Amino acid sequence: MNLTIKVWRQDGPSDKGKMVDYKLTDISPDQSFLEMMDVLNNQIIEEGGEPIAFDHDCREGICGMCSMYINGEAHGPGRGVTTCQLHMRSFNDGDTIYVEPWRAKAFPVIKDLVVDRTSFDRIIASGGYVSVNTGAAQDANALPVNKDDADAAFDAATCIGCGACVATCKNSSAMLFVSAKVSQLSLLPQGKVEAHDRVLNMVKQMDEEGFGNCTNTGACEVECPKGISLENIARMNREFMFASLTNK
Amino acid sequence: MSLDSKIPEGPIAEKWTNHKNNIKLVNPANKRLIDVIVIGTGLAGGSAAASLAEMGYNVKAFCFQDSPRRAHSIAAQGGINAAKNYQNDGDSTYRLFYDTVKGGDYRSREANVYRLAEVSANIIDQCVAQGVPFAREYGGLLDNRSFGGVQVSRTFYAKGQTGQQLLLGAYSAMERQIGKGKIQMYDRHEMLDLVVVDGKARGIIARNLINGEIERHSAHAVLICSGGYGNVFFLSTNAMGSNATAAWKIHQKGAHFANPCYTQIHPTCIPVSGDYQSKLTLMSESLRNDGRIWVPKKKEDVEAIRSGKLRPREIKEEDRDYYLERRYPSFGNLVPRDVASRAAKERCDAGYGVNQTGEAVFLDFASAIMRYGREAANVQGIHNPDEKTIKKLGDEVIANKYGNLFQMYEKITDDNPYETPMKIYPAVHYTMGGVWVDYNLMTSIPGCYALGEANFSDHGANRLGASALMQGLADGYFVIPYTIGDYLADDIRTGTIPTDTPEFDAAEKAVQERINHFMNNKGSKPVDHFHKRLGKIMWEKCGMARNEKGLKEAIAEIQELRKEFWADVKVPGTANSFNQELEKAGRVADFLELGELMCLDALTRAESCGGHFREESQTDEGEAMRNDKDFTYVAAWEYTGEPSAAKLHKEELKYENIELKQRSYK
Ligand SMILES: Cc1cc2nc3c(=O)[nH]c(=O)nc-3n(C[C@H](O)[C@H](O)[C@H](O)COP(=O)(O)OP(=O)(O)OC[C@H]3O[C@@H](n4cnc5c(N)ncnc54)[C@H](O)[C@@H]3O)c2cc1C
Ligand code: SF4
Ligand code: FES
């Protein structure tokens, strides 16, 4: 395949940034999108330029590191995939492909396609855990968990913290991400004990980080590579209401 | 430097308890006066950092990713072992111990493995308490599955995302301590050297990957939890950033490197598809519970499949060679990884590989789908179901068990494994070798510890499936919190370690000089060019099968390549900015040394054991043949300046509880 790639280049947080065009030839449809970017980068280096910075690590859709906004969609075309799971067979010979970073106030650009998502970590630090010290646990089977709850908790827990939901949302809301963690823990007996404080603290931190409000457009669910469901947001809203009413 | 493994006295089942009762403690008020640096936030580092902070130590944790949650442990799929015996199938601490020692082909330390088996049950308790959503049965209790090389069901899992869920558990425990200020987190930081003061590990030099600043960090102890070095091979199932730099740097500062040649080649990975390939993807071993591995019996069928004239499902049952079931009737498709990988290589070398490159075998779910379908039909009271119904029900069961793996496979290959068998081939996956540690997990540098895949400790020459997660968490949650006190008890009056000392100056200068070399080198080829060439040498000459001639050639070739790398590598950009090529250059420079040491170790170990197969040492049936008389030892290498001049120290392995036998899975 022969392609034109238009990539966002930005030297650092204070640089203004711009789109730059690159031409690529002989790309195999079996190549992954990031392997196409590798080829492009080695081409840039050989021509004496600076390669495009982008985040990636596992390249199998689980670490949540990769984060490209491709042709106007977080993680590009295709549902249920991360950028690294996208293959060039999703594109056609002769295509022009636009590649941009996640854009959100709470995710400032570090360089080119790399953004700072530590706001997500701070939200987890504000309450996304069960307060149990190492060694303080009882036997794992002492507390049976209803399989449906366990499965629902698992589904919520598969969030990879990539931030596509934020990048996609016109309000840059992090509700899907936060609600996934709140749901996972509130569905399990181990997490119920702290459910009230957890939801209040996490929502507070989310607001402080500069994420926007949720207006129920549902774009996040569509672009989420892990299929995290909007039901989690509904559950979190209920939890939040209840906690706000009962916590003084 | 001596090689004292510090294995406690007494019967094996009492060693750990006795040891815990006898080692020194640091009282809670004094823990506040002690700083600990943890390099890595995978299962080993994450669990260690959280546990040490909970106990009161001041922890500084480092990772090169943008968040501790992204450590490579996140990618582990299949599960984690524990001797819980919830299935009532006769499992016990002893049996897990025995399986692990046997699986490791009798090249691991008995006392360490026993302790691992002993604490395994606590790990599951801890993770469940953290909210890790393991798979459960309808009664609400935890479910198990079985993995290769064992005959009990002791593997706990969370679909095909067990590593993710365990890591998120450790990560949340860490974040809780970060929120409390007990852990200072340095993400996007890379440790580039260890600082040794008066013979003790007292700090590190790290590079801030965002702005390139070189930083000094001091502590009373340094824990290296930086993962494995499989990426020496360029292509592996490891994440792109996984590297050996932290381990290699401490090796250069005096930590012995043990058994570097023990690498695990995992039998079930998606085959290489082209030159552009950047990494390989694992298909979890759990698939071998239900998938059957085969190649055609007849060469003409092989040809027909390669050319697309026949589809795999069109090959008649009697024309298929289920070679694992044929060669190993009692373990069948569930033989350990090293055995399964070599068997695949044997068939492909004999010309039976089923893809264009001749390097692939089938992993077929057809019979499992139908078997489960029939079971499900019975359960649902459907009498005399037709094939279609059975298939549909069976697909559902399989989707429930392995859905995400099937999906992953389809995304990469564009083939639907519900309808046609997967194609798989072995790939580099895990490194059993690593930094030498004693029973306390301390390296040969006082105050410097190594945990998780970075150390060599528990898996001998071959690791069993679902045992790395167990070991990482055992080290971090249940071993280091005790053993580190024994060392730190002497440091309660030391006070904060200053960083404005000659030792820090020298370490920083060395780091800076290396970076300057890269930036000023007017080379012509990108880092990847050299990494790929190194990988090729390693795969061909120090991969699934090794021999004296090849290893000697490999050593010479790597030395040449290293020279070329330093003279001709091209690193664009600047040193004081975000520069991924510079990061890679440093990592590949270290791989180029480690690779040579791996070959030297493989050459020295003139026996076959576990994942290390020396062609000169095999039985008539082509199985690995150990030489217990000459090689029942841990090879611990001391750095002397050049990898090829490393000095060998031997730690004799004593088997007092398990009798050494030729491993058999027939
Ligand atoms: C695809 C795959 C599937 C697997 N599945 C299973 C399974 O089902 N069951 C099982 O038991 N095992 C499995 N394994 C093996 C297991 O996942 C690993 O052995 C284990 O997770 C390693 O954990 P770790 O904590 O030692 O290191 P890692 O998780 O690799 O963590 C390394 C950490 O060190 C940091 N780091 C490294 N170098 C530096 C540096 N210089 N400076 C700062 N930070 C640094 C990294 O940022 C990272 O945080 C699998 C492995 C792979 C590749
Ligand atoms: S909810 Fe989905 S899109 Fe958002 S961070 Fe989690 S996995 Fe990514
Ligand atoms: S690189 Fe890990 S999810 Fe894409």
Side-chain angles (χ1 to χ4, degrees), chain B residues 442-596:
Chain B
M442 201 194 286
T443 68
S444 28
I445 304 173
C448 180
Y449 293 78
L451 281 66
E453 193 174 338
N455 74 24
F456 88 105
S457 68
D458 298 350
H459 308 292
N462 174 57
R463 174 176 70 78
L464 290 180
S467 286
L469 302 183
M470 169 172 73
Q471 183 226 330
L473 290 180
D475 288 357
Y477 283 137
F478 295 110
V479 178
I480 199 73
Y482 295 101
T483 59
I484 202 169
D486 197 41
Y487 173 79
L488 292 175
D490 295 334
D491 258 332
I492 51 180
R493 273 185 253 291
T494 308
T496 306
I497 309 288
T499 57
D500 54 350
T501 57
E503 291 85 356
F504 274 93
D505 292 346
E508 183 178 321
K509 186 157 164 274
V511 165
Q512 198 63 60
E513 277 169 4
R514 184 153 115 150
I515 292 175
N516 292 347
H517 176 93
F518 287 134
M519 299 317 309
N520 300 333
N521 202 36
K522 297 277 170 276
S524 70
K525 299 202 182 65
V527 179
D528 279 356
H529 167 88
F530 298 95
H531 196 180
K532 284 185 185 176
R533 280 170 60 193
L534 172 66
K536 192 150 180 289
I537 299 172
M538 294 300 293
W539 180 243
E540 281 169 4
K541 300 188 169 158
C542 195
M544 264 190 283
R546 303 152 175 194
N547 62 50
E548 184 180 338
K549 180 168 163 286
L551 288 165
K552 285 186 173 155
E553 287 166 5
I555 291 175
E557 287 169 28
I558 295 171
Q559 288 173 349
E560 253 334 283
L561 183 62
R562 199 163 58 230
K563 277 197 212 122
E564 211 187 309
F565 169 82
W566 284 102
D568 196 28
V569 69
K570 176 171 182 171
V571 180
T574 59
N576 54 2
S577 68
F578 192 86
N579 187 340
Q580 291 169 312
E581 286 297 309
L582 177 60
E583 294 166 27
K584 278 201 284 189
R587 294 170 191 162
V588 171
D590 295 331
F591 282 146
L592 279 163
E593 295 193 6
L594 173 55
E596 186 180 339

Side-chain angles (χ1 to χ4, degrees), chain A residues 134-152:
Chain A
T134 302
Q138 58 176 351
D139 184 83
N141 258 351
L143 209 59
V145 181
N146 172 303
K147 187 169 174 11
D148 291 338
D149 288 342
D151 287 349

Side-chain angles (χ1 to χ4, degrees), chain A residues 126-170:
Chain A
S126 73
Y129 48 75
V130 174
S131 298
V132 54
N133 282 358
T134 302
Q138 58 176 351
D139 184 83
N141 258 351
L143 209 59
V145 181
N146 172 303
K147 187 169 174 11
D148 291 338
D149 288 342
D151 287 349
F154 172 82
D155 288 342
T158 57
C159 162
I160 57 174
C162 63
C165 44
V166 175
T168 279
C169 175
K170 65 180 167 59

Side-chain angles (χ1 to χ4, degrees), chain A residues 60, chain B residues 39-45 62-65 71-73 75-79 147 189-191 225-227 237-238 243 245-246 282 429-430 451-454 463 466-470:
Chain A
E60 49 190 59
Chain B
I39 304 300
T41 60
L43 288 182
F62 293 77
C63 70
F64 64 76
Q65 293 92 343
H72 172 56
S73 295
Q77 303 170 349
F147 255 58
H189 273 68
E190 183 160 17
M191 163 183 167
C225 316
S226 52
T237 63
N238 288 8
N243 71 90
T245 290
L282 175 79
H429 176 60
Y430 181 87
L451 281 66
E453 193 174 338
R463 174 176 70 78
S467 286
L469 302 183
M470 169 172 73

